[in-house]
Amino acid sequence: MFKKPGQADALGDLAARYAAAPVDGPAATEPGADRVRGSARRKLWSLGNHAACPVTGVCLRLPELQKLARKAELALDGCSEYEMHIALVSECRRRSPLAEMVQRELDSRYELFISQSLKLKTTEALAKWWDRSCMGMDWAGVFWAVLTHSRCTPELEFAVLGQVHMLQHQVGMAARVDQTRLQTLVQENHKLGDELIHAQQRLQTVAQEQVQRHELHQAELMRLRAELIRAQTDRAQALAELEALKRQTPELPQRQRLLDDNRQLAEHNQQLRRALNLATQATLQAWPAPGAPGATGPVEALDTRPVPRDEGVLIHDRAVLCVGGRTRVIPIYRELIEDKGARFLHHDGGEEDNAGQLGPLLQSADVVICQVGCISHNAYWRVKEHCKRHGKPCLFVETPSRSALERILGSGREPASAALHDAGDDARAEKAH
């Protein structure tokens, strides 16, 4: 290590000057003092003048040195770290109580490395051991064991101290780089910490919103479930009521179908009658007038004289209310009245229809036809009283038939089947009823 080609002379001169440098303290003047004395280990105060500084700086920390200095009763209060370092190095260059304490502390601390170095009997072996170990993680023990070894020559000591000196420079530079990097990392850590806090706050806000939305959804779900249960209950009740009604009126569907068929047949019959009337009018217009040239017998048989107004009841564009009557003749009455251009109204006289509906129907009617044989007493007297009070025409029919209605609508009076409002009519109506 210290005898490389081209560098032996220069290294030898430097080592010679280092070995010839005066050593401060009693160790330099002690009789018989020698740099290498057999197998005895070297002491701290017997090392070179420049060895105390790296030894105290590498092998011990400053608080440990301060602790030893207090035990040695050194007055270092009020000194800076640099001033303490200078004072401690000066004490270690000579055989002082502090130097002896440091010697014992380092021998005790690095006893394992000292034991390993004692196996090395030559300077070359000691130098190789240093070369192999100086780049390790813990080379302070190797450094102390090499410097205090009895075979450590001034040249080896010079080379070792030089390497340690440069290592301290590199460590210092690395420490500065690490410090700068540490400061950068601390700043980044603070920045990331702030971002983490903001992110946590956002996440907490989002979590609270999610909880609120979840509660709203749960409330809405409960409401919908309650509505569903209520709807299912209502449906079940409605189905139960429907089944009960079906059991009470088993013929209801058949009656409904019959009513629908009857209504359709009545509408169809009415259409046919209107078509027949139109065809009759067209036929009358096609034949020549009576007495005209070319007139024939069938035309002479037709009586085209207008019917006087007092020979019948005018119901065109009027509302005709039929009170009472058999169910089977109601469609016939409807057809006959609607063919004359009137609006047909009907009330069964209290048999099935609500009696309270009779009053509004009487109010809206212009002409009233009373079926005296198919009406209740109460309905009969209500019809009679209403027509007298309001002066409405009221025709009483004893026989529920088409011919009877046609006669009363055509003549306005029928001696045996219809009457106006007089005492004889009332008696006949009461008798028929």
Side-chain angles (χ1 to χ4, degrees), residues 41 94 153 228 249 354 379 389:
R41 295 184 61 252
R94 62 186 180 86
T153 61
L228 177 61
T249 55
N354 189 359
R389 186 184 304 114

Side-chain angles (χ1 to χ4, degrees), residues 66-116:
Q66 291 175 348
K67 183 178 179 181
L68 295 176
R70 285 193 294 271
K71 290 182 179 181
E73 298 180 356
L74 294 179
L76 299 177
D77 296 336
C79 299
S80 63
E81 292 184 355
Y82 180 69
E83 292 172 347
M84 290 182 186
H85 176 71
I86 293 175
L88 294 174
V89 169
S90 298
E91 288 293 321
C92 291
R93 285 177 178 173
R94 62 186 180 86
R95 188 169 185 174
S96 63
L98 178 61
E100 292 179 353
M101 290 182 182
V102 172
Q103 180 75 32
R104 289 193 296 270
E105 176 67 23
L106 294 179
D107 288 342
S108 175
R109 179 175 297 186
Y110 301 118
E111 183 178 0
L112 178 62
F113 296 97
I114 294 173
S115 299
Q116 293 177 0

